[in-house]
């Protein structure tokens, strides 16, 4: 039996995008072991109903439990929107989502109290970012916009493409008119579009990347609970998917900056 602190961090996402969160956790906590599960058989979640997203999220958490994880990180914004409270209620271990960390950073950053959020349709429909931001700062005005085409553009690798810039202009021009000074990137894929988003929004708008903020939250939780892993040996990570691994492997490099030699397919429990 592994010591409590040597158990891995479990991270799940609807597919590949959660690797942006893995990258940040690895940067901040290089000693931590990670088991990542991407539900590639059922991606995307961003167009799905609350009921489906909750059901999928529970299935994903159950996969991670089989790997004896010490904490579950929901790296997907859409899953966090609908399923964070359900998982927190139903599972004994700590569960962290991506919405609170990003929202907290946004309220600490905004001077105008005017915050923009871009996300999937399902996340926008949940209103979870609006509620969370206003819980931290009652007087904040929040302006949301769903940007569904960004996910396939990122997966196609069109990060710095004129089509992507045109799509961003189309989505963001109206949002910009709301005089926001902070924009939350409320979807796992959007951090890869930072340069184009910054260009379209202008230098007076600060982009908040939920992945970075979530990694900080994971670190403080592990510190608080005395669960940090100390080791001189490099940590081992495991990458699991619910569909064939090849496509995931091919895209992983874009998200992580390096190849993923071992990706395994596993079935839901
Ligand atoms: N991971 C999803 C999110 O952050 C984006 C991809 C999807 O629609 O499943 O909301």
């Amino acid at each position: 039996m592994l010591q409590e602190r040597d158990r891995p961090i479990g991270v799940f996402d609807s597919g590949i995008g959660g690797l942006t969160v893995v990258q940040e956790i690895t940067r901040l906590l290089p000693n931590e072991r990670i088991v990542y599960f991407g539900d590639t058989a059922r991606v995307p979640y961003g167009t799905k109903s609350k009921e489906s997203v909750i059901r999928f999220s529970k299935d994903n958490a159950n996969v991670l439990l089989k790997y004896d994880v010490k904490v579950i990180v929901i790296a997907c914004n859409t899953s966090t929107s609908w399923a964070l409270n359900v998982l927190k209620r139903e599972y004994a271990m700590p569960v962290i989502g991506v919405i609170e960390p990003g929202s907290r950073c946004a309220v600490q950053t905004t001077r105008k109290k005017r915050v923009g959020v871009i996300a999937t349709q399902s996340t926008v429909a949940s209103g979870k970012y609006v509620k969370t931001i206003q819980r931290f700062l009652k007087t904040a005005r929040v302006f949301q916009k769903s940007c569904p085409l960004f996910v396939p553009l990122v997966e196609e690798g069109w990060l710095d493409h004129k089509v992507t810039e045109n799509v961003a202009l189309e989505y963001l021009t109206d949002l910009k008119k709301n005089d926001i000074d902070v924009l939350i990137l409320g979807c796992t894929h959007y951090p890869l579009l930072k340069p184009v988003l910054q260009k379209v929004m202008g230098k007076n708008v600060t982009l908040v990347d939920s992945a970075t903020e979530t990694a900080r939250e994971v670190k403080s939780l592990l510190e608080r609970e005395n669960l940090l892993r100390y080791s001189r040996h490099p940590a081992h990570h495991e990458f699991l998917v619910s569909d064939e691994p090849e496509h995931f492997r091919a895209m992983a490099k874009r998200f992580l900056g390096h190849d993923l030699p071992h990706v395994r397919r596993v079935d839901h429990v």
Side-chain angles (χ1 to χ4, degrees):
M1 183 80 178
L2 283 176
Q3 279 223 342
E4 187 82 356
R5 56 175 62 225
D6 287 327
R7 289 159 58 195
I9 296 172
V11 180
F12 79 77
D13 176 51
S14 56
I16 187 99
L19 292 182
T20 52
V21 178
V22 169
Q23 193 183 30
E24 293 304 324
I25 295 176
T26 311
R27 219 195 300 269
L28 209 59
L29 298 166
N31 281 332
E32 293 295 332
R33 300 168 57 213
I34 296 174
V35 177
Y36 179 89
F37 178 70
D39 191 10
T40 48
R42 301 191 291 200
V43 70
Y45 286 9
T47 50
K48 306 267 164 44
S49 66
K50 172 182 176 179
E51 292 69 29
S52 296
V53 174
I54 291 177
R55 182 159 51 85
F56 296 167
S57 303
K58 283 189 190 178
D59 291 345
N60 300 342
N62 289 337
V63 170
L64 291 176
L65 287 186
K66 287 208 293 192
Y67 291 81
D68 198 25
V69 297
K70 60 184 171 186
V71 50
I72 291 178
V73 180
I74 309 180
C76 176
N77 288 262
T78 310
S79 282
T80 303
S81 298
W82 295 119
L84 176 67
N85 289 338
V86 178
L87 296 191
K88 274 187 166 172
R89 239 186 353 256
E90 295 185 11
Y91 292 77
M93 69 184 47
V95 185
I96 290 182
V98 281
I99 290 182
E100 277 202 12
S103 301
R104 192 175 297 117
C105 177
V107 303
Q108 284 161 359
T109 309
T110 183
R111 290 177 313 280
K112 296 180 178 172
K113 300 183 182 174
R114 300 174 77 83
V115 177
V117 177
I118 52 174
T120 64
Q121 289 143 304
S122 191
T123 297
V124 166
S126 77
K128 202 67 192 191
Y129 267 109
V130 181
K131 277 186 224 122
T132 309
I133 292 165
Q134 291 176 339
R135 176 153 54 80
F136 291 138
L137 181 65
K138 234 194 190 136
T139 51
R141 299 279 310 274
V142 185
F143 304 91
Q144 303 192 91
K145 175 76 185 163
S146 65
C147 304
L149 290 175
F150 283 166
V151 168
L153 285 167
V154 168
E155 297 203 352
E156 193 60 28
W158 289 14
L159 308 182
D160 184 24
H161 193 291
K162 62 180 182 318
V163 168
T164 309
E165 190 171 333
N166 284 337
V167 171
L169 273 168
E170 189 70 34
Y171 281 145
L172 304 178
T173 301
D174 280 347
L175 192 65
K176 245 179 109 168
K177 290 186 188 143
N178 294 305
D179 195 28
I180 55 173
D181 60 355
V182 172
L183 179 65
I184 299 182
L185 311 183
C187 171
T188 47
H189 289 57
Y190 300 175
L192 279 83
L193 296 177
K194 264 186 193 164
V196 76
L197 296 175
Q198 192 73 69
K199 185 171 169 196
V200 170
M201 294 309 292
K203 62 177 181 349
N204 295 330
V205 175
T206 305
L207 305 183
V208 169
D209 173 347
S210 323
T212 317
E213 300 309 323
T214 303
R216 290 202 185 115
E217 184 107 347
V218 173
K219 183 169 183 231
S220 47
L221 176 112
L222 296 182
E223 279 167 354
R224 223 172 33 241
E225 304 280 327
N226 209 10
L227 282 175
L228 277 176
R229 176 173 185 261
Y230 300 100
S231 170
R232 266 175 274 135
H233 306 292
H236 173 72
H237 300 331
E238 238 179 305
F239 294 91
L240 314 168
V241 289
S242 53
D243 202 358
E244 60 82 30
E246 270 324 301
H247 183 59
F248 182 90
R249 269 230 311 252
M251 274 194 302
K253 191 164 184 187
R254 198 171 302 139
F255 284 81
L256 283 175
H258 59 82
D259 282 318
L260 269 189
H262 305 293
V263 181
R264 266 192 314 124
R265 178 181 177 158
V266 296
D267 286 324
H268 284 101
V269 184

